[in-house]
Amino acid sequence: MTTEEISRLFSATPAGPGKWMTKCPAHEDGKASLSIGTGDDGRTLLKCHAGCTMDSIVAAKGLKD
């Protein structure tokens, strides 16, 4: 995903070079608990600090992994 696609799809805010933070779409989120990054190979990396799986995050956005 491009920077623009990540920002638009997740309504994410920049958190450093190649990193974003946003509310996780897979659970009721009172604060930004989803980290999004870009891997060395260009893949988009997702990490919910509340414990949601990548499958549940992707499904909540209607995407496929």
Side-chain angles (χ1 to χ4, degrees):
M1 294 180 111
T2 67
T3 299
E4 294 80 23
E5 290 170 330
I6 291 170
S7 294
R8 189 172 3 104
L9 180 63
F10 288 96
S11 299
T13 57
K19 298 177 183 177
W20 298 265
M21 289 296 297
T22 191
K23 292 182 178 182
C24 179
H27 74 275
E28 282 294 319
D29 206 355
K31 62 177 186 156
S33 66
L34 180 63
S35 297
I36 305 170
T38 304
D40 292 337
D41 60 0
R43 288 186 293 167
T44 300
L45 308 173
L46 302 172
K47 164 86 173 145
C48 176
H49 297 277
C52 296
T53 65
M54 185 180 74
D55 289 339
S56 66
I57 296 166
V58 170
K61 291 307 269 184
L63 304 171
K64 293 183 178 188
D65 59 357

